[in-house]
């Protein structure tokens, strides 16, 4: 079984309370630490990678992002999915080619740009073209930004998700969806559901998110920010 088939299989037949936990490496060193800890797959966070490269979230040039993903994928022997924001304006065929060249088995694609939600039908058409270009070579995680840049209506999120799944998305990611709406989202969305977990101890554990409907759990730039905070503490004590 190749990496993409392994990655796809990890999303299916999961028991409630046992979601796929995908930590987010921001460079090759962090990827090795996470893989050595026994995680079966990893998912890069665009904001964490941006910070490691000295950019603000959303400001990383496409070439630098793909190069960072390639370094991470080369460093480990587990599947790596890449957050490539809204696709950097690349045509679907080129986007797929660059992801595959970087060694990614999957990607996150946002349905907003510049803080504004895209037209969902046009975005679905884009996802369908990505799916057509990728075939089975990429696992596409369609991010739904209703709770970030929209009105927060879960029904609107479900409507968007339905369009994206019909277009060929393998998974749906309603980022920052409130915990209390997760059961509704789970009941209304077909296929795997990605949920963002917090690392500050204030939110539910990955297992609890799984009980609420999460198929997979990611952490955004949470790990990179925790690592940066730890380094600041160490640096302050160096004298």
């Amino acid at each position: 079984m190749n990496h993409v088939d392994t990655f796809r299989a990890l999303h299916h037949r999961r028991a409630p309370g046992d979601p796929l936990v995908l930590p987010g490496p921001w460079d090759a060193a962090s990827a090795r630490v996470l893989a050595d800890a026994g995680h079966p797959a990893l998912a890069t966070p665009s904001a964490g990678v941006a910070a490691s490269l000295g950019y603000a979230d959303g400001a990383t040039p496409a070439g630098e992002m793909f190069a960072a993903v390639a370094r991470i994928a080369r460093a480990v022997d587990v599947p790596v999915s890449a957050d490539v924001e809204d696709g950097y304006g690349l045509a679907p065929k080129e986007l797929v080619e660059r992801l595959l060249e970087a060694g990614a088995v999957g990607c996150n694609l946002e349905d907003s740009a510049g803080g504004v939600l895209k037209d969902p039908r046009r975005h679905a058409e884009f996802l369908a073209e990505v799916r057509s270009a990728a075939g089975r070579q990429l696992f596409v995680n369609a991010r739904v930004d209703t709770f970030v840049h929209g009105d927060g209506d879960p029904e609107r999120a479900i409507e968007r998700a339905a369009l994206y799944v019909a277009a060929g998305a393998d998974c749906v990611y309603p980022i920052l969806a409130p915990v209390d709406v997760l059961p509704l989202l789970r009941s209304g969305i077909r296929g795997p559901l990605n949920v963002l977990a917090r690392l500050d101890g204030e939110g539910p554990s990955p297992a609890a998110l799984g009980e609420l409907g999460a198929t997979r759990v990611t952490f955004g730039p949470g790990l990179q920010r925790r690592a940066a905070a730890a380094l600041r503490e160490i640096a302050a004590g160096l004298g």
Side-chain angles (χ1 to χ4, degrees):
M1 186 180 290
N2 60 31
H3 270 354
V4 68
D5 289 338
T6 297
F7 189 67
R8 184 171 281 110
L10 286 169
H11 290 76
H12 296 287
R13 293 183 294 279
R14 304 205 68 89
D18 181 34
L20 173 61
V21 175
L22 290 175
W26 55 95
D27 60 12
S30 60
R32 285 179 175 149
V33 168
L34 295 170
D36 288 347
H39 291 284
L42 306 173
T44 69
S46 61
V49 173
S52 76
L53 296 173
Y55 293 103
D57 184 19
T60 308
E64 293 197 43
M65 183 63 74
F66 287 112
V69 170
R71 289 191 292 271
I72 290 168
R74 282 198 303 266
V76 295
D77 193 29
V78 298
V80 174
S81 183
D83 182 347
V84 289
E85 304 183 51
D86 70 342
Y88 306 112
L90 299 173
K93 185 174 184 294
E94 182 180 358
L95 175 62
V96 168
E97 289 173 350
R98 297 187 72 171
L99 282 162
L100 295 177
E101 287 170 359
V105 301
C107 62
N108 280 14
L109 287 169
E110 304 169 4
D111 68 347
S112 66
V116 178
L117 287 174
K118 297 181 178 182
D119 177 87
R121 295 190 181 279
R122 292 184 66 181
H123 187 62
E125 292 172 0
F126 172 73
L127 292 175
E129 291 182 50
V130 170
R131 168 55 63 218
S132 177
R136 297 277 294 175
Q137 295 181 88
L138 284 176
F139 186 96
V140 178
N141 188 32
R143 206 177 93 172
V144 177
D145 286 358
T146 305
F147 300 99
V148 184
H149 302 304
D151 61 8
D153 184 342
E155 293 297 340
R156 300 291 81 74
I158 290 170
E159 290 171 3
R160 284 177 170 265
L163 289 170
Y164 304 159
V165 170
D170 298 287
C171 185
V172 174
Y173 180 17
I175 189 170
L176 294 183
V179 171
D180 61 356
V181 306
L182 292 181
L184 175 60
L185 295 175
R186 174 65 288 167
S187 67
I189 294 174
R190 289 192 297 112
L193 183 68
N194 189 151
V195 175
L196 181 72
R198 297 173 61 172
L199 288 170
D200 56 7
E202 297 297 320
S205 67
L209 291 172
E211 293 285 359
L212 292 169
T215 307
R216 81 183 210 179
V217 173
T218 53
F219 305 91
L223 287 168
Q224 183 272 328
R225 290 174 180 172
R226 283 281 294 273
L231 182 58
R232 281 193 293 271
E233 184 176 339
I234 294 168
L238 293 178

